[in-house]
mmCIF file of all heavy atoms in Angstrom:
data_model
loop_
_atom_site.group_PDB
_atom_site.id
_atom_site.type_symbol
_atom_site.label_atom_id
_atom_site.label_comp_id
_atom_site.label_asym_id
_atom_site.label_seq_id
_atom_site.Cartn_x
_atom_site.Cartn_y
_atom_site.Cartn_z
ATOM 1 N N MET A 1 -6.167 -12.664 9.836
ATOM 2 C CA MET A 1 -6.527 -11.526 9.031
ATOM 3 C C MET A 1 -5.302 -10.853 8.424
ATOM 4 O O MET A 1 -5.319 -10.483 7.264
ATOM 5 C CB MET A 1 -7.322 -10.525 9.855
ATOM 6 C CG MET A 1 -7.721 -9.312 9.056
ATOM 7 S SD MET A 1 -9.007 -8.405 9.851
ATOM 8 C CE MET A 1 -8.221 -6.853 10.109
ATOM 9 N N SER A 2 -4.230 -10.696 9.167
ATOM 10 C CA SER A 2 -3.052 -10.029 8.617
ATOM 11 C C SER A 2 -2.448 -10.834 7.461
ATOM 12 O O SER A 2 -1.901 -10.248 6.533
ATOM 13 C CB SER A 2 -2.005 -9.777 9.697
ATOM 14 O OG SER A 2 -1.543 -10.992 10.230
ATOM 15 N N GLU A 3 -2.568 -12.154 7.496
ATOM 16 C CA GLU A 3 -2.063 -12.976 6.388
ATOM 17 C C GLU A 3 -2.868 -12.707 5.115
ATOM 18 O O GLU A 3 -2.314 -12.650 4.026
ATOM 19 C CB GLU A 3 -2.127 -14.462 6.767
ATOM 20 C CG GLU A 3 -1.330 -15.338 5.849
ATOM 21 C CD GLU A 3 0.170 -15.053 5.873
ATOM 22 O OE1 GLU A 3 0.691 -14.600 6.900
ATOM 23 O OE2 GLU A 3 0.817 -15.293 4.840
ATOM 24 N N ARG A 4 -4.190 -12.517 5.269
ATOM 25 C CA ARG A 4 -5.043 -12.194 4.120
ATOM 26 C C ARG A 4 -4.628 -10.845 3.521
ATOM 27 O O ARG A 4 -4.533 -10.694 2.301
ATOM 28 C CB ARG A 4 -6.508 -12.154 4.558
ATOM 29 C CG ARG A 4 -7.476 -11.877 3.436
ATOM 30 C CD ARG A 4 -8.919 -11.991 3.908
ATOM 31 N NE ARG A 4 -9.196 -11.211 5.088
ATOM 32 C CZ ARG A 4 -9.643 -9.947 5.071
ATOM 33 N NH1 ARG A 4 -9.861 -9.341 3.937
ATOM 34 N NH2 ARG A 4 -9.869 -9.305 6.197
ATOM 35 N N ILE A 5 -4.346 -9.886 4.364
ATOM 36 C CA ILE A 5 -3.906 -8.567 3.892
ATOM 37 C C ILE A 5 -2.563 -8.694 3.180
ATOM 38 O O ILE A 5 -2.361 -8.137 2.103
ATOM 39 C CB ILE A 5 -3.824 -7.567 5.067
ATOM 40 C CG1 ILE A 5 -5.232 -7.310 5.619
ATOM 41 C CG2 ILE A 5 -3.149 -6.273 4.648
ATOM 42 C CD1 ILE A 5 -5.252 -6.582 6.941
ATOM 43 N N LYS A 6 -1.645 -9.422 3.782
ATOM 44 C CA LYS A 6 -0.322 -9.614 3.173
ATOM 45 C C LYS A 6 -0.457 -10.276 1.806
ATOM 46 O O LYS A 6 0.186 -9.851 0.835
ATOM 47 C CB LYS A 6 0.549 -10.453 4.093
ATOM 48 C CG LYS A 6 1.944 -10.659 3.585
ATOM 49 C CD LYS A 6 2.765 -11.471 4.570
ATOM 50 C CE LYS A 6 4.114 -11.812 3.977
ATOM 51 N NZ LYS A 6 4.885 -12.683 4.831
ATOM 52 N N ASN A 7 -1.295 -11.286 1.692
ATOM 53 C CA ASN A 7 -1.494 -11.961 0.408
ATOM 54 C C ASN A 7 -2.086 -11.023 -0.633
ATOM 55 O O ASN A 7 -1.692 -11.046 -1.801
ATOM 56 C CB ASN A 7 -2.385 -13.195 0.586
ATOM 57 C CG ASN A 7 -1.690 -14.300 1.337
ATOM 58 O OD1 ASN A 7 -0.473 -14.375 1.382
ATOM 59 N ND2 ASN A 7 -2.470 -15.174 1.950
ATOM 60 N N ALA A 8 -3.019 -10.177 -0.222
ATOM 61 C CA ALA A 8 -3.608 -9.206 -1.148
ATOM 62 C C ALA A 8 -2.553 -8.207 -1.621
ATOM 63 O O ALA A 8 -2.512 -7.845 -2.803
ATOM 64 C CB ALA A 8 -4.777 -8.481 -0.485
ATOM 65 N N MET A 9 -1.678 -7.786 -0.718
ATOM 66 C CA MET A 9 -0.614 -6.853 -1.084
ATOM 67 C C MET A 9 0.365 -7.513 -2.056
ATOM 68 O O MET A 9 0.793 -6.899 -3.033
ATOM 69 C CB MET A 9 0.113 -6.364 0.166
ATOM 70 C CG MET A 9 -0.747 -5.487 1.039
ATOM 71 S SD MET A 9 0.006 -5.099 2.628
ATOM 72 C CE MET A 9 1.304 -3.998 2.117
ATOM 73 N N GLU A 10 0.705 -8.758 -1.803
ATOM 74 C CA GLU A 10 1.602 -9.472 -2.706
ATOM 75 C C GLU A 10 0.982 -9.598 -4.094
ATOM 76 O O GLU A 10 1.673 -9.507 -5.101
ATOM 77 C CB GLU A 10 1.939 -10.850 -2.151
ATOM 78 C CG GLU A 10 2.858 -10.797 -0.951
ATOM 79 C CD GLU A 10 3.039 -12.140 -0.257
ATOM 80 O OE1 GLU A 10 2.237 -13.076 -0.479
ATOM 81 O OE2 GLU A 10 4.002 -12.252 0.534
ATOM 82 N N GLY A 11 -0.332 -9.807 -4.149
ATOM 83 C CA GLY A 11 -1.019 -9.879 -5.436
ATOM 84 C C GLY A 11 -1.029 -8.544 -6.156
ATOM 85 O O GLY A 11 -0.903 -8.479 -7.385
ATOM 86 N N ALA A 12 -1.166 -7.461 -5.399
ATOM 87 C CA ALA A 12 -1.205 -6.125 -5.998
ATOM 88 C C ALA A 12 0.165 -5.655 -6.455
ATOM 89 O O ALA A 12 0.285 -4.944 -7.450
ATOM 90 C CB ALA A 12 -1.792 -5.127 -4.995
ATOM 91 N N TRP A 13 1.211 -6.055 -5.729
ATOM 92 C CA TRP A 13 2.573 -5.622 -6.046
ATOM 93 C C TRP A 13 3.491 -6.839 -6.115
ATOM 94 O O TRP A 13 4.300 -7.084 -5.192
ATOM 95 C CB TRP A 13 3.082 -4.637 -4.995
ATOM 96 C CG TRP A 13 2.254 -3.402 -4.927
ATOM 97 C CD1 TRP A 13 2.123 -2.439 -5.868
ATOM 98 C CD2 TRP A 13 1.417 -3.003 -3.835
ATOM 99 N NE1 TRP A 13 1.260 -1.474 -5.434
ATOM 100 C CE2 TRP A 13 0.812 -1.787 -4.194
ATOM 101 C CE3 TRP A 13 1.118 -3.559 -2.602
ATOM 102 C CZ2 TRP A 13 -0.069 -1.117 -3.368
ATOM 103 C CZ3 TRP A 13 0.235 -2.898 -1.766
ATOM 104 C CH2 TRP A 13 -0.345 -1.689 -2.151
ATOM 105 N N PRO A 14 3.425 -7.615 -7.191
ATOM 106 C CA PRO A 14 4.188 -8.870 -7.271
ATOM 107 C C PRO A 14 5.710 -8.684 -7.254
ATOM 108 O O PRO A 14 6.425 -9.628 -6.929
ATOM 109 C CB PRO A 14 3.712 -9.500 -8.577
ATOM 110 C CG PRO A 14 3.123 -8.384 -9.362
ATOM 111 C CD PRO A 14 2.617 -7.379 -8.375
ATOM 112 N N LEU A 15 6.199 -7.509 -7.566
ATOM 113 C CA LEU A 15 7.645 -7.291 -7.577
ATOM 114 C C LEU A 15 8.208 -7.034 -6.184
ATOM 115 O O LEU A 15 9.420 -7.105 -5.987
ATOM 116 C CB LEU A 15 8.005 -6.125 -8.495
ATOM 117 C CG LEU A 15 7.641 -6.325 -9.970
ATOM 118 C CD1 LEU A 15 8.005 -5.085 -10.772
ATOM 119 C CD2 LEU A 15 8.322 -7.553 -10.541
ATOM 120 N N VAL A 16 7.349 -6.757 -5.241
ATOM 121 C CA VAL A 16 7.789 -6.512 -3.870
ATOM 122 C C VAL A 16 8.167 -7.839 -3.233
ATOM 123 O O VAL A 16 7.408 -8.799 -3.283
ATOM 124 C CB VAL A 16 6.668 -5.829 -3.052
ATOM 125 C CG1 VAL A 16 7.064 -5.710 -1.592
ATOM 126 C CG2 VAL A 16 6.355 -4.462 -3.630
ATOM 127 N N ASP A 17 9.368 -7.926 -2.666
ATOM 128 C CA ASP A 17 9.796 -9.209 -2.110
ATOM 129 C C ASP A 17 9.663 -9.284 -0.586
ATOM 130 O O ASP A 17 9.786 -10.362 -0.021
ATOM 131 C CB ASP A 17 11.218 -9.553 -2.542
ATOM 132 C CG ASP A 17 12.254 -8.569 -2.033
ATOM 133 O OD1 ASP A 17 11.880 -7.502 -1.536
ATOM 134 O OD2 ASP A 17 13.450 -8.873 -2.131
ATOM 135 N N GLN A 18 9.403 -8.160 0.083
ATOM 136 C CA GLN A 18 9.211 -8.182 1.529
ATOM 137 C C GLN A 18 8.077 -7.237 1.904
ATOM 138 O O GLN A 18 8.037 -6.104 1.438
ATOM 139 C CB GLN A 18 10.485 -7.767 2.263
ATOM 140 C CG GLN A 18 11.621 -8.726 2.061
ATOM 141 C CD GLN A 18 12.846 -8.301 2.852
ATOM 142 O OE1 GLN A 18 12.842 -7.318 3.572
ATOM 143 N NE2 GLN A 18 13.908 -9.074 2.727
ATOM 144 N N ILE A 19 7.186 -7.720 2.746
ATOM 145 C CA ILE A 19 6.062 -6.918 3.225
ATOM 146 C C ILE A 19 5.991 -7.078 4.737
ATOM 147 O O ILE A 19 5.988 -8.191 5.244
ATOM 148 C CB ILE A 19 4.737 -7.365 2.581
ATOM 149 C CG1 ILE A 19 4.796 -7.153 1.064
ATOM 150 C CG2 ILE A 19 3.557 -6.618 3.183
ATOM 151 C CD1 ILE A 19 3.620 -7.726 0.318
ATOM 152 N N PHE A 20 5.969 -5.951 5.435
ATOM 153 C CA PHE A 20 5.901 -5.962 6.893
ATOM 154 C C PHE A 20 4.718 -5.105 7.336
ATOM 155 O O PHE A 20 4.886 -3.931 7.656
ATOM 156 C CB PHE A 20 7.197 -5.420 7.493
ATOM 157 C CG PHE A 20 8.415 -6.178 7.069
ATOM 158 C CD1 PHE A 20 9.195 -5.734 6.013
ATOM 159 C CD2 PHE A 20 8.769 -7.359 7.708
ATOM 160 C CE1 PHE A 20 10.329 -6.429 5.615
ATOM 161 C CE2 PHE A 20 9.894 -8.071 7.318
ATOM 162 C CZ PHE A 20 10.675 -7.613 6.268
ATOM 163 N N PRO A 21 3.505 -5.669 7.353
ATOM 164 C CA PRO A 21 2.352 -4.862 7.759
ATOM 165 C C PRO A 21 2.420 -4.508 9.246
ATOM 166 O O PRO A 21 2.811 -5.324 10.071
ATOM 167 C CB PRO A 21 1.149 -5.756 7.469
ATOM 168 C CG PRO A 21 1.679 -7.127 7.232
ATOM 169 C CD PRO A 21 3.149 -7.017 6.982
ATOM 170 N N ASP A 22 2.063 -3.281 9.537
ATOM 171 C CA ASP A 22 1.995 -2.801 10.922
ATOM 172 C C ASP A 22 0.515 -2.567 11.222
ATOM 173 O O ASP A 22 -0.044 -1.557 10.818
ATOM 174 C CB ASP A 22 2.800 -1.525 11.066
ATOM 175 C CG ASP A 22 2.738 -0.954 12.475
ATOM 176 O OD1 ASP A 22 2.264 -1.659 13.389
ATOM 177 O OD2 ASP A 22 3.162 0.197 12.653
ATOM 178 N N ILE A 23 -0.108 -3.521 11.864
ATOM 179 C CA ILE A 23 -1.537 -3.447 12.134
ATOM 180 C C ILE A 23 -1.743 -2.687 13.443
ATOM 181 O O ILE A 23 -1.527 -3.208 14.533
ATOM 182 C CB ILE A 23 -2.159 -4.862 12.239
ATOM 183 C CG1 ILE A 23 -1.760 -5.737 11.059
ATOM 184 C CG2 ILE A 23 -3.657 -4.771 12.425
ATOM 185 C CD1 ILE A 23 -2.218 -5.229 9.707
ATOM 186 N N THR A 24 -2.113 -1.409 13.319
ATOM 187 C CA THR A 24 -2.337 -0.571 14.490
ATOM 188 C C THR A 24 -3.623 0.226 14.293
ATOM 189 O O THR A 24 -4.124 0.366 13.184
ATOM 190 C CB THR A 24 -1.179 0.413 14.714
ATOM 191 O OG1 THR A 24 -1.024 1.215 13.547
ATOM 192 C CG2 THR A 24 0.124 -0.305 14.986
ATOM 193 N N GLU A 25 -4.132 0.776 15.372
ATOM 194 C CA GLU A 25 -5.313 1.620 15.291
ATOM 195 C C GLU A 25 -4.923 2.935 14.621
ATOM 196 O O GLU A 25 -3.869 3.509 14.905
ATOM 197 C CB GLU A 25 -5.853 1.885 16.689
ATOM 198 C CG GLU A 25 -7.184 2.575 16.673
ATOM 199 C CD GLU A 25 -7.797 2.647 18.061
ATOM 200 O OE1 GLU A 25 -7.479 1.815 18.905
ATOM 201 O OE2 GLU A 25 -8.602 3.566 18.262
ATOM 202 N N ALA A 26 -5.772 3.405 13.721
ATOM 203 C CA ALA A 26 -5.470 4.632 12.985
ATOM 204 C C ALA A 26 -6.602 5.634 13.163
ATOM 205 O O ALA A 26 -7.778 5.260 13.224
ATOM 206 C CB ALA A 26 -5.287 4.333 11.510
ATOM 207 N N THR A 27 -6.233 6.899 13.212
ATOM 208 C CA THR A 27 -7.241 7.958 13.272
ATOM 209 C C THR A 27 -7.805 8.183 11.869
ATOM 210 O O THR A 27 -7.263 7.698 10.871
ATOM 211 C CB THR A 27 -6.614 9.274 13.763
ATOM 212 O OG1 THR A 27 -5.656 9.715 12.787
ATOM 213 C CG2 THR A 27 -5.937 9.114 15.117
ATOM 214 N N ALA A 28 -8.871 8.948 11.788
ATOM 215 C CA ALA A 28 -9.453 9.287 10.486
ATOM 216 C C ALA A 28 -8.420 10.010 9.617
ATOM 217 O O ALA A 28 -8.312 9.752 8.416
ATOM 218 C CB ALA A 28 -10.703 10.141 10.665
ATOM 219 N N GLU A 29 -7.640 10.892 10.222
ATOM 220 C CA GLU A 29 -6.602 11.610 9.470
ATOM 221 C C GLU A 29 -5.526 10.646 8.980
ATOM 222 O O GLU A 29 -5.039 10.769 7.863
ATOM 223 C CB GLU A 29 -5.983 12.721 10.316
ATOM 224 C CG GLU A 29 -4.887 13.495 9.593
ATOM 225 C CD GLU A 29 -5.330 14.103 8.266
ATOM 226 O OE1 GLU A 29 -6.483 14.524 8.144
ATOM 227 O OE2 GLU A 29 -4.500 14.143 7.334
ATOM 228 N N ASP A 30 -5.151 9.677 9.807
ATOM 229 C CA ASP A 30 -4.175 8.662 9.388
ATOM 230 C C ASP A 30 -4.685 7.912 8.165
ATOM 231 O O ASP A 30 -3.941 7.656 7.218
ATOM 232 C CB ASP A 30 -3.905 7.645 10.503
ATOM 233 C CG ASP A 30 -3.161 8.227 11.690
ATOM 234 O OD1 ASP A 30 -2.425 9.228 11.517
ATOM 235 O OD2 ASP A 30 -3.327 7.676 12.799
ATOM 236 N N ARG A 31 -5.969 7.543 8.177
ATOM 237 C CA ARG A 31 -6.539 6.803 7.049
ATOM 238 C C ARG A 31 -6.592 7.663 5.796
ATOM 239 O O ARG A 31 -6.307 7.183 4.694
ATOM 240 C CB ARG A 31 -7.922 6.262 7.423
ATOM 241 C CG ARG A 31 -7.840 5.125 8.426
ATOM 242 C CD ARG A 31 -9.183 4.449 8.634
ATOM 243 N NE ARG A 31 -10.163 5.306 9.281
ATOM 244 C CZ ARG A 31 -10.254 5.471 10.594
ATOM 245 N NH1 ARG A 31 -9.445 4.830 11.404
ATOM 246 N NH2 ARG A 31 -11.167 6.266 11.103
ATOM 247 N N ARG A 32 -6.929 8.942 5.931
ATOM 248 C CA ARG A 32 -6.933 9.854 4.770
ATOM 249 C C ARG A 32 -5.534 9.970 4.190
ATOM 250 O O ARG A 32 -5.342 9.912 2.968
ATOM 251 C CB ARG A 32 -7.469 11.225 5.168
ATOM 252 C CG ARG A 32 -8.974 11.287 5.277
ATOM 253 C CD ARG A 32 -9.483 12.718 5.405
ATOM 254 N NE ARG A 32 -9.084 13.326 6.679
ATOM 255 C CZ ARG A 32 -9.787 13.226 7.804
ATOM 256 N NH1 ARG A 32 -10.916 12.553 7.828
ATOM 257 N NH2 ARG A 32 -9.361 13.810 8.907
ATOM 258 N N ARG A 33 -4.540 10.154 5.060
ATOM 259 C CA ARG A 33 -3.160 10.272 4.596
ATOM 260 C C ARG A 33 -2.718 8.977 3.905
ATOM 261 O O ARG A 33 -2.087 9.021 2.852
ATOM 262 C CB ARG A 33 -2.230 10.592 5.764
ATOM 263 C CG ARG A 33 -0.803 10.893 5.297
ATOM 264 C CD ARG A 33 0.159 11.126 6.450
ATOM 265 N NE ARG A 33 0.458 9.856 7.098
ATOM 266 C CZ ARG A 33 0.092 9.502 8.328
ATOM 267 N NH1 ARG A 33 -0.578 10.328 9.092
ATOM 268 N NH2 ARG A 33 0.392 8.331 8.818
ATOM 269 N N ALA A 34 -3.077 7.845 4.479
ATOM 270 C CA ALA A 34 -2.698 6.560 3.885
ATOM 271 C C ALA A 34 -3.329 6.389 2.505
ATOM 272 O O ALA A 34 -2.671 5.915 1.570
ATOM 273 C CB ALA A 34 -3.105 5.412 4.801
ATOM 274 N N ARG A 35 -4.597 6.771 2.358
ATOM 275 C CA ARG A 35 -5.248 6.676 1.037
ATOM 276 C C ARG A 35 -4.547 7.579 0.031
ATOM 277 O O ARG A 35 -4.314 7.191 -1.114
ATOM 278 C CB ARG A 35 -6.730 7.033 1.145
ATOM 279 C CG ARG A 35 -7.574 5.923 1.722
ATOM 280 C CD ARG A 35 -9.064 6.206 1.553
ATOM 281 N NE ARG A 35 -9.492 7.394 2.271
ATOM 282 C CZ ARG A 35 -9.920 7.401 3.535
ATOM 283 N NH1 ARG A 35 -9.974 6.280 4.216
ATOM 284 N NH2 ARG A 35 -10.299 8.514 4.106
ATOM 285 N N ARG A 36 -4.216 8.805 0.455
ATOM 286 C CA ARG A 36 -3.528 9.745 -0.433
ATOM 287 C C ARG A 36 -2.161 9.199 -0.840
ATOM 288 O O ARG A 36 -1.810 9.201 -2.019
ATOM 289 C CB ARG A 36 -3.380 11.106 0.274
ATOM 290 C CG ARG A 36 -2.742 12.174 -0.592
ATOM 291 C CD ARG A 36 -2.674 13.527 0.116
ATOM 292 N NE ARG A 36 -1.868 13.465 1.338
ATOM 293 C CZ ARG A 36 -2.340 13.572 2.581
ATOM 294 N NH1 ARG A 36 -3.628 13.756 2.801
ATOM 295 N NH2 ARG A 36 -1.538 13.503 3.621
ATOM 296 N N GLU A 37 -1.411 8.678 0.128
ATOM 297 C CA GLU A 37 -0.091 8.129 -0.175
ATOM 298 C C GLU A 37 -0.193 6.886 -1.061
ATOM 299 O O GLU A 37 0.638 6.671 -1.938
ATOM 300 C CB GLU A 37 0.658 7.818 1.114
ATOM 301 C CG GLU A 37 1.061 9.083 1.860
ATOM 302 C CD GLU A 37 1.687 8.813 3.218
ATOM 303 O OE1 GLU A 37 1.788 7.630 3.626
ATOM 304 O OE2 GLU A 37 2.067 9.784 3.883
ATOM 305 N N ARG A 38 -1.227 6.086 -0.848
ATOM 306 C CA ARG A 38 -1.436 4.895 -1.690
ATOM 307 C C ARG A 38 -1.702 5.308 -3.131
ATOM 308 O O ARG A 38 -1.175 4.744 -4.073
ATOM 309 C CB ARG A 38 -2.588 4.068 -1.121
ATOM 310 C CG ARG A 38 -3.171 3.018 -2.037
ATOM 311 C CD ARG A 38 -2.226 1.830 -2.229
ATOM 312 N NE ARG A 38 -2.699 0.952 -3.250
ATOM 313 C CZ ARG A 38 -3.511 -0.062 -3.073
ATOM 314 N NH1 ARG A 38 -3.959 -0.335 -1.869
ATOM 315 N NH2 ARG A 38 -3.880 -0.813 -4.070
ATOM 316 N N ARG A 39 -2.553 6.328 -3.320
ATOM 317 C CA ARG A 39 -2.826 6.833 -4.667
ATOM 318 C C ARG A 39 -1.549 7.313 -5.330
ATOM 319 O O ARG A 39 -1.285 7.021 -6.494
ATOM 320 C CB ARG A 39 -3.836 7.985 -4.599
ATOM 321 C CG ARG A 39 -5.239 7.609 -4.959
ATOM 322 C CD ARG A 39 -6.164 8.807 -5.151
ATOM 323 N NE ARG A 39 -5.930 9.949 -4.283
ATOM 324 C CZ ARG A 39 -6.438 10.091 -3.064
ATOM 325 N NH1 ARG A 39 -7.193 9.160 -2.542
ATOM 326 N NH2 ARG A 39 -6.174 11.173 -2.355
ATOM 327 N N GLN A 40 -0.734 8.062 -4.589
ATOM 328 C CA GLN A 40 0.519 8.576 -5.126
ATOM 329 C C GLN A 40 1.460 7.436 -5.503
ATOM 330 O O GLN A 40 2.098 7.473 -6.554
ATOM 331 C CB GLN A 40 1.184 9.515 -4.125
ATOM 332 C CG GLN A 40 0.419 10.796 -3.906
ATOM 333 C CD GLN A 40 0.939 11.606 -2.723
ATOM 334 O OE1 GLN A 40 1.638 11.088 -1.852
ATOM 335 N NE2 GLN A 40 0.586 12.888 -2.681
ATOM 336 N N LEU A 41 1.536 6.428 -4.660
ATOM 337 C CA LEU A 41 2.385 5.276 -4.941
ATOM 338 C C LEU A 41 1.897 4.540 -6.182
ATOM 339 O O LEU A 41 2.685 4.196 -7.070
ATOM 340 C CB LEU A 41 2.421 4.328 -3.742
ATOM 341 C CG LEU A 41 3.204 3.035 -3.933
ATOM 342 C CD1 LEU A 41 4.669 3.326 -4.244
ATOM 343 C CD2 LEU A 41 3.069 2.155 -2.707
ATOM 344 N N ASP A 42 0.591 4.300 -6.268
ATOM 345 C CA ASP A 42 0.027 3.626 -7.444
ATOM 346 C C ASP A 42 0.322 4.409 -8.717
ATOM 347 O O ASP A 42 0.661 3.827 -9.746
ATOM 348 C CB ASP A 42 -1.481 3.429 -7.287
ATOM 349 C CG ASP A 42 -1.841 2.362 -6.277
ATOM 350 O OD1 ASP A 42 -0.966 1.543 -5.918
ATOM 351 O OD2 ASP A 42 -3.010 2.336 -5.835
ATOM 352 N N GLU A 43 0.193 5.727 -8.660
ATOM 353 C CA GLU A 43 0.479 6.564 -9.827
ATOM 354 C C GLU A 43 1.951 6.490 -10.214
ATOM 355 O O GLU A 43 2.285 6.402 -11.400
ATOM 356 C CB GLU A 43 0.066 8.011 -9.556
ATOM 357 C CG GLU A 43 -1.428 8.203 -9.470
ATOM 358 C CD GLU A 43 -1.831 9.557 -8.914
ATOM 359 O OE1 GLU A 43 -0.944 10.384 -8.594
ATOM 360 O OE2 GLU A 43 -3.053 9.788 -8.785
ATOM 361 N N ALA A 44 2.831 6.503 -9.236
ATOM 362 C CA ALA A 44 4.267 6.425 -9.510
ATOM 363 C C ALA A 44 4.631 5.072 -10.131
ATOM 364 O O ALA A 44 5.388 5.008 -11.096
ATOM 365 C CB ALA A 44 5.071 6.651 -8.235
ATOM 366 N N VAL A 45 4.077 3.996 -9.598
ATOM 367 C CA VAL A 45 4.350 2.665 -10.132
ATOM 368 C C VAL A 45 3.813 2.550 -11.558
ATOM 369 O O VAL A 45 4.490 2.025 -12.445
ATOM 370 C CB VAL A 45 3.760 1.572 -9.216
ATOM 371 C CG1 VAL A 45 3.792 0.215 -9.881
ATOM 372 C CG2 VAL A 45 4.487 1.550 -7.884
ATOM 373 N N ALA A 46 2.629 3.070 -11.800
ATOM 374 C CA ALA A 46 2.051 3.022 -13.153
ATOM 375 C C ALA A 46 2.906 3.818 -14.133
ATOM 376 O O ALA A 46 3.120 3.381 -15.264
ATOM 377 C CB ALA A 46 0.625 3.563 -13.120
ATOM 378 N N ALA A 47 3.421 4.962 -13.702
ATOM 379 C CA ALA A 47 4.267 5.774 -14.576
ATOM 380 C C ALA A 47 5.554 5.043 -14.921
ATOM 381 O O ALA A 47 6.000 5.055 -16.072
ATOM 382 C CB ALA A 47 4.566 7.120 -13.918
ATOM 383 N N VAL A 48 6.156 4.391 -13.952
ATOM 384 C CA VAL A 48 7.388 3.630 -14.208
ATOM 385 C C VAL A 48 7.095 2.485 -15.165
ATOM 386 O O VAL A 48 7.837 2.252 -16.119
ATOM 387 C CB VAL A 48 7.999 3.108 -12.884
ATOM 388 C CG1 VAL A 48 9.087 2.093 -13.150
ATOM 389 C CG2 VAL A 48 8.529 4.267 -12.058
ATOM 390 N N ALA A 49 6.005 1.774 -14.937
ATOM 391 C CA ALA A 49 5.645 0.652 -15.809
ATOM 392 C C ALA A 49 5.381 1.143 -17.233
ATOM 393 O O ALA A 49 5.792 0.504 -18.197
ATOM 394 C CB ALA A 49 4.421 -0.060 -15.249
ATOM 395 N N GLU A 50 4.714 2.277 -17.362
ATOM 396 C CA GLU A 50 4.413 2.828 -18.672
ATOM 397 C C GLU A 50 5.693 3.232 -19.407
ATOM 398 O O GLU A 50 5.830 3.016 -20.602
ATOM 399 C CB GLU A 50 3.499 4.037 -18.510
ATOM 400 C CG GLU A 50 3.026 4.635 -19.829
ATOM 401 C CD GLU A 50 2.074 5.779 -19.601
ATOM 402 O OE1 GLU A 50 1.053 5.560 -18.922
ATOM 403 O OE2 GLU A 50 2.372 6.888 -20.080
ATOM 404 N N ASN A 51 6.646 3.801 -18.688
ATOM 405 C CA ASN A 51 7.880 4.277 -19.305
ATOM 406 C C ASN A 51 8.882 3.161 -19.575
ATOM 407 O O ASN A 51 9.811 3.341 -20.353
ATOM 408 C CB ASN A 51 8.544 5.337 -18.423
ATOM 409 C CG ASN A 51 7.726 6.619 -18.392
ATOM 410 O OD1 ASN A 51 7.058 6.965 -19.352
ATOM 411 N ND2 ASN A 51 7.765 7.308 -17.269
ATOM 412 N N SER A 52 8.701 2.018 -18.920
ATOM 413 C CA SER A 52 9.686 0.946 -19.088
ATOM 414 C C SER A 52 9.234 -0.130 -20.069
ATOM 415 O O SER A 52 9.988 -1.043 -20.339
ATOM 416 C CB SER A 52 10.002 0.300 -17.741
ATOM 417 O OG SER A 52 8.857 -0.364 -17.237
ATOM 418 N N GLY A 53 8.052 -0.018 -20.551
ATOM 419 C CA GLY A 53 7.674 -1.116 -21.384
ATOM 420 C C GLY A 53 6.699 -0.901 -22.411
ATOM 421 O O GLY A 53 6.414 -1.509 -23.311
#
């Protein structure tokens, strides 16, 4: 399962050359924070891509 996740991440972020997933149990708050941080990261990456090309 972790290999499937790693492959999906590589597909989503092809410029990333190293991925180290930490598969641990998360609380509901951990998952909310992770979703929020993921949104912020996606927005930042999109802004950089928009400004660079």
